[in-house]
Amino acid sequence: MRKYIGEIGLIITAIIWGSGFVASAMSLEHYTPYQLLAGRFLIGVLILCALFNKKLKDIKKSTLVKGTILGLFLYVAFVLQTVGLQYTTPSKNAFLTAVNVVIVPFIGFLLYKRKIDLFEMSGAVIALVGVAVLSLKLSAEVNVGDLLTLCCAVGFAFHIFYTAKFVKDEDAVLLTIVQMAVAAVISWMVVIFKGETSFSMETEGLLPLLYLGLFSTTIAYLLQTVAQKYITETKAAIILSTEALWGMAFSVVILSEVMTAKMIIGAVLILVAIVISETKFGFLKRKKVSLQ
C-alpha cells in the first residue's frame, strides 16, 4: 500500500483542485482575484497552525528557507495565472497552465543533469495533448494573457519540482505551513498596496472562499507535499494535470455544462498518459514472459 500513497494522495489533490474551478468562479463574482488569493492562503495557514501547533516548536531554519522558496513560487504562479485570465480565455488559461507537466522533467535535466525517463516524458506529452483537447478552443491568437499564463506554468513546474526535492529531507506538514504563511503574507501585502481591504461578507461569496481555503488550499497542498515524498516529480505533474479532467466533470455535474465528444477524447488521453507513466507497459512484458 505504501507504494501507492503518492498516487492516491495526488489523485485526491487533483479532484479537489478540479472542484476548485467551480468555487473560484462563484467566489470571483464577489471578490477581486487578489482578495481571493489573500483569503484562501490566510484560511489555509490558520487551519494548519491550529491543527499542528505542537509541531511549530520543531521548525528548523532549513524548513523556513525551503518553505519560503516554495511559497514564493506558489504565489507568483497563482498571480500570473489569475492576472493572465483577465486577458485570455479560461480554456487557454487551463491549457497553458498544464504546460508545467512537460516543463518539470526538463528542470531536472537542465539544472541537475538528471536523465529524462522516456515513458514519463511520453506520458507528460500525451497528458498535455489531452488537456489541449479537453479545454482548448482553436485560436491562433497569442496575447499578453497567454504569455503570463505560460510564465505561471513555469512557476507551477518549479513548485512541483522543488516540493519533491525539499520534502525528502523536511517535515511535510511544516514545509506546507511555511509556504502557506509566505504566500499569505505576500497576498495581504498586495491587497493592502492595491487598497482592496474591503471584503464582502455575503454568504454567496464567503462559502466558496471558505471551501477554497479549507479544501483547495489546506487539504490539497498538504496532500501534495506529503504525496511527493513517494513519487517522482514528473509522475506528480502528470497526475496533477488531471485537475482539468476533474474540473470538467464538476462543471458538467454542478454547472450543468454539456458533455461533448471532445471532452471524452481529452479525458481518455489523460488517463492513457497516467497508465504509460505509471506502468511503463510493464504489464505487457509480464504477459510476454508468461506466454513464453
Side-chain angles (χ1 to χ4, degrees):
M1 187 63 193
R2 185 182 177 86
K3 179 185 174 184
Y4 299 106
I5 290 175
E7 285 88 342
I8 294 167
L10 290 174
I11 288 169
I12 296 171
T13 300
I15 293 171
I16 294 172
W17 284 350
S19 67
F21 280 117
V22 177
S24 291
M26 295 167 67
S27 206
L28 281 170
E29 293 178 9
H30 302 271
Y31 304 105
T32 70
Y34 300 101
Q35 288 178 323
L36 189 61
L37 292 180
R40 68 183 290 177
F41 285 131
L42 180 62
I43 292 168
V45 74
L46 290 177
I47 293 172
L48 286 170
C49 286
L51 290 175
F52 302 104
N53 62 88
K54 291 181 181 178
K55 269 182 167 283
L56 294 175
K57 66 179 184 297
D58 300 322
I59 203 161
K60 299 182 295 185
K61 184 180 178 181
S62 61
T63 310
L64 290 171
V65 172
K66 292 171 183 176
T68 298
I69 292 170
L70 291 179
L72 287 169
F73 280 135
L74 189 63
Y75 184 76
V76 169
F78 263 112
V79 164
L80 289 169
Q81 183 187 46
T82 307
V83 176
L85 187 55
Q86 296 177 321
Y87 301 99
T88 190
T89 62
S91 60
K92 266 194 178 181
N93 190 262
F95 166 67
L96 291 170
T97 298
V99 170
N100 74 70
V101 76
V102 177
I103 297 171
V104 168
F106 284 102
I107 294 173
F109 176 72
L110 294 172
L111 298 184
Y112 297 95
K113 307 299 180 188
R114 291 186 189 174
K115 288 183 180 179
I116 294 177
D117 185 298
L118 290 179
F119 287 102
E120 290 187 357
M121 191 64 207
S122 300
V125 172
I126 293 170
L128 185 62
V129 173
V131 174
V133 173
L134 198 68
S135 62
L136 201 58
K137 293 178 181 176
L138 294 176
S139 172
E141 294 179 7
V142 177
N143 56 39
V144 67
D146 298 332
L147 295 174
L148 288 172
T149 308
L150 198 54
C151 291
C152 116
V154 176
F156 279 123
F158 272 95
H159 181 266
I160 292 169
F161 181 85
Y162 279 104
T163 295
K165 185 174 174 61
F166 293 159
V167 79
K168 298 288 189 291
D169 305 310
E170 300 294 338
D171 183 284
V173 172
L174 291 175
L175 200 59
T176 306
I177 291 173
V178 175
Q179 66 172 310
M180 284 297 126
V182 170
V185 169
I186 298 171
S187 299
W188 281 95
M189 286 171 65
V190 171
V191 163
I192 292 168
F193 176 77
K194 290 180 69 66
E196 297 178 357
T197 51
S198 178
F199 276 71
S200 168
M201 298 306 289
E202 292 181 27
T203 307
E204 293 83 358
L206 202 55
L207 288 179
L209 177 60
L210 289 171
Y211 178 87
L212 287 171
L214 176 58
F215 291 96
S216 296
T217 306
T218 310
I219 295 174
Y221 277 101
L222 184 58
L223 272 174
Q224 181 200 350
T225 308
V226 172
Q228 285 200 242
K229 266 185 178 286
Y230 308 97
I231 192 169
T232 67
E233 60 271 9
T234 303
K235 275 187 183 179
I238 293 169
I239 295 173
L240 291 174
S241 73
T242 63
E243 172 188 2
L245 168 63
W246 296 110
M248 172 205 75
F250 281 106
S251 294
V252 169
V253 173
I254 299 173
L255 300 180
S256 302
E257 280 194 25
V258 179
M259 176 77 79
T260 64
K262 192 162 156 279
M263 289 178 174
I264 295 169
I265 293 168
V268 169
L269 284 169
I270 292 171
L271 293 175
V272 167
I274 292 172
V275 170
I276 290 172
S277 67
E278 281 295 315
T279 67
K280 301 184 181 180
F281 295 119
F283 58 92
L284 292 179
K285 292 174 187 174
R286 286 194 294 271
K287 189 175 181 182
K288 188 177 179 181
V289 169
S290 64
L291 286 173
Q292 288 173 345

